[in-house]
Amino acid sequence: MSRPTSTNPETLALHGGSHRAETTTGAVAVPIYQTTSYQFQDTAHAARLFGLQEMGNIYTRIMNPTCDALETRLAAMEGGAAALALGSGQAASAFSVMNLCEAGDNVVSSTDLYGGTWNLFANTLKQFGVETRFVDPADPENFRRATDARTRCYYAETLPNPKLQVFPIGEVATIGRELGVPLIMDNTAAPVMCRPFDHGAAVVMYSTTKWIGGHGTAIGGAVIDGGNFDWAKWGDRFPTLNKPDPSYHGAVWTEATKPMGPVAYIVRMRTCLLRDMGAPLAPFNAFLAIQGLETLPLRMERHNANATRVAGWLAGREGVTKVIHPSLMQGEAKRRADAYLKGGYGSLMGFELAGGAEAGARFIDALKLFYHVANIGDARSLAIHPATTTHSQLSLEDQALSGVTPGYVRLSIGIEHIDDILADLEQALAAASSPARAKAAE
Ligand code: PLP
């Protein structure tokens, strides 16, 4: 039977990638291949697989058919060449950079980063001799200024929280392409809304734990190779891809992968990093990510619509001094949001309570519908008060530098009915402004 062809995300989320019906049973849903290993047909077949003359399954640390269905579907949705599923978003960001860097090399990264990525770059990669140069993305030229002969990649998030100022993807990708430096985008908070490859990024990574999985059930990550960066042209800059690899019989990845298409980067990540460091996505978690992915475009519509309603509603409330959401921004920040986000402005937002840390804590404690969790991107609405949780170990000064003030509350707006979301916020805001009313409500 022929396969449907489409470039629309709603269709690709259900039909994109390698899986159609399972060939033995006809099963329509992607089966969970809960196996560690795969029977070789004979010794010659095994030798061909290990020699990369034929692609096929060897061992689930390195590949698995359920993961393959997720990988090929994600690559189709992003407009990329191929993808690699990993055990977490953290593994995806670590591998995306480690695949290009050796000791003595550097990464130029946006300052606006998830805290886990910041730690990875500022501390852990540093331990292995890889330096990260953090630059302010307000001026894209900061990336050029920080680049030298040992710069291996640029790194940024499309919609970083808490500032929620959209990254200038096209501007920085263009600088990188002039200098031979690929841009890696963490697109976790803007799936479907933004396709960074359309703006010149070379690599996209996701924490699938968030909107893609969408139901708060499984940790996971993925790296997608755009297949649009000429690694061989900039030979000296990418020794991991252009020089003989002693761990694989001297293979030069840009040469060895030519028959497979422009996939040197992602094949090297699978055959070397995943083989050696081991952070595979479990088949069951790949299945859960696929379940989420299939309805992601539809859920994003509701996430976006609800969030824009909430942002506008909060902006007019007494006791709320500031609301941070791209829909309410002006000037260059709004221009970037409109240039890079389609179909809405994302479901993350922040707001500031006039009553400071105490009001923030009272607000959180009064919520009935919203869950109080350290997560984002769930179908359910979520809230957290960073000053008393995620950022409580930082000094007030460092909290302020990262965009967190004492009365700051972060929301991840879910897909419930908007009236129920607003009603919960209304009663929690009332409790925040009046300690006595909060007590009476208990
Ligand atoms: N990138 C972003 C933007 C995130 O928000 C997170 C987690 O919160 C990660 C990466 C790391 O993902 P994971 O928790 O799946 O390891």
Side-chain angles (χ1 to χ4, degrees):
M1 195 192 279
S2 63
R3 299 172 58 90
T5 53
S6 173
T7 52
N8 298 313
E10 297 82 353
T11 307
L12 289 172
L14 287 155
H15 298 277
S18 61
H19 177 79
R20 184 63 187 168
E22 197 272 322
T23 45
T24 316
T25 62
V28 171
V30 178
I32 303 168
Y33 289 93
Q34 196 67 44
T35 183
T36 56
S37 36
Y38 308 86
Q39 161 93 333
F40 304 122
Q41 291 152 19
D42 50 35
T43 49
H45 175 231
R48 284 199 304 280
L49 293 181
F50 276 88
L52 295 182
Q53 284 135 9
E54 186 180 324
M55 296 316 281
N57 296 315
I58 299 175
Y59 187 58
T60 281
R61 175 162 18 91
I62 307 167
M63 73 283 280
N64 174 279
T66 314
C67 295
D68 181 71
L70 174 64
E71 290 161 351
T72 50
R73 202 170 288 184
L74 278 173
M77 287 181 73
E78 287 298 324
L84 179 63
L86 292 161
S88 66
Q90 279 302 109
S93 40
F95 276 28
S96 71
V97 167
M98 288 165 71
N99 203 33
L100 298 172
C101 292
E102 296 175 319
D105 293 340
N106 66 73
V107 175
V108 179
S109 171
S110 166
T111 43
D112 295 354
L113 282 187
Y114 165 60
T117 315
W118 182 281
N119 248 329
L120 167 72
F121 287 177
N123 299 307
T124 304
L125 288 184
K126 194 166 145 197
Q127 262 178 269
F128 298 99
V130 174
E131 179 203 355
T132 302
R133 303 171 174 182
F134 293 102
V135 298
D136 184 350
D139 181 0
E141 287 297 320
N142 287 338
F143 282 78
R144 188 196 303 277
R145 286 190 272 272
T147 304
D148 66 15
R150 297 296 298 266
T151 302
R152 299 291 176 251
C153 56
Y154 296 156
Y155 191 98
E157 292 178 20
T158 305
L159 185 54
N161 93 80
K163 290 185 197 159
L164 299 177
Q165 296 200 351
V166 172
F167 184 77
I169 306 173
E171 292 88 328
V172 174
T174 303
I175 294 170
R177 283 178 187 273
E178 269 173 45
L179 304 177
V181 181
L183 172 62
I184 301 174
M185 289 304 307
D186 179 341
N187 201 44
T188 298
V192 185
M193 302 154 62
C194 178
R195 293 209 320 176
F197 295 144
D198 295 345
H199 306 287
V203 173
V204 167
M205 64 82 34
Y206 280 104
S207 164
T208 60
T209 314
K210 316 297 179 191
W211 288 265
I212 289 178
H215 299 79
T217 51
I219 301 287
V223 180
I224 303 151
D225 183 342
N228 61 10
F229 196 86
D230 192 348
W231 308 103
K233 177 177 166 195
W234 305 93
D236 291 346
R237 212 183 262 285
F238 304 110
T240 60
L241 300 178
N242 288 317
K243 297 252 154 60
D245 184 341
S247 85
Y248 225 100
H249 317 300
V252 175
W253 291 108
T254 45
E255 292 296 319
T257 55
K258 266 191 184 146
M260 304 173 205
V263 290
Y265 172 87
I266 207 78
V267 169
R268 195 261 174 189
M269 187 181 290
R270 184 189 295 280
T271 50
C272 298
L273 286 187
L274 193 55
R275 174 198 63 188
D276 297 349
M277 313 203 62
L281 183 63
F284 184 56
N285 286 355
F287 172 82
L288 292 172
I290 291 166
Q291 300 318 293
L293 194 58
E294 295 195 339
T295 55
L296 178 69
L298 192 56
R299 281 187 286 111
M300 289 311 291
E301 282 179 22
R302 177 65 77 87
H303 275 298
N304 283 332
N306 278 354
T308 297
R309 280 283 301 277
V310 171
W313 181 88
L314 275 173
R317 309 300 296 184
E318 206 186 323
V320 174
T321 52
K322 188 168 162 193
V323 181
I324 301 167
H325 188 250
S327 65
L328 301 174
M329 289 177 186
Q330 287 170 353
E332 179 60 9
K334 184 73 186 336
R335 190 201 66 76
R336 287 181 186 174
D338 286 331
Y340 294 112
L341 304 181
K342 298 280 167 276
Y345 295 98
S347 56
L348 288 178
M349 75 182 59
F351 67 96
E352 180 75 31
L353 284 165
E358 282 179 16
R362 281 198 302 272
F363 172 85
I364 294 284
D365 287 338
L367 288 168
K368 295 188 167 85
L369 180 81
F370 279 67
Y371 279 86
H372 178 205
V373 292
N375 193 23
I376 50 177
D378 199 307
R380 303 160 189 86
S381 289
L382 314 175
I384 199 160
H385 180 228
T388 52
T389 55
T390 51
H391 290 62
S392 59
Q393 274 114 47
L394 302 186
S395 65
L396 281 181
E397 203 175 50
D398 285 349
Q399 286 186 15
L401 275 179
S402 66
V404 168
T405 45
Y408 177 85
V409 173
R410 183 185 73 198
L411 303 179
S412 174
I413 302 298
I415 61 172
E416 302 94 341
H417 196 287
I418 186 66
D419 293 349
D420 297 321
I421 294 174
L422 295 180
D424 197 35
L425 292 173
E426 171 113 59
Q427 63 84 24
L429 280 177
S433 64
S434 154
R437 280 173 72 173
K439 272 253 157 294
E442 276 168 11

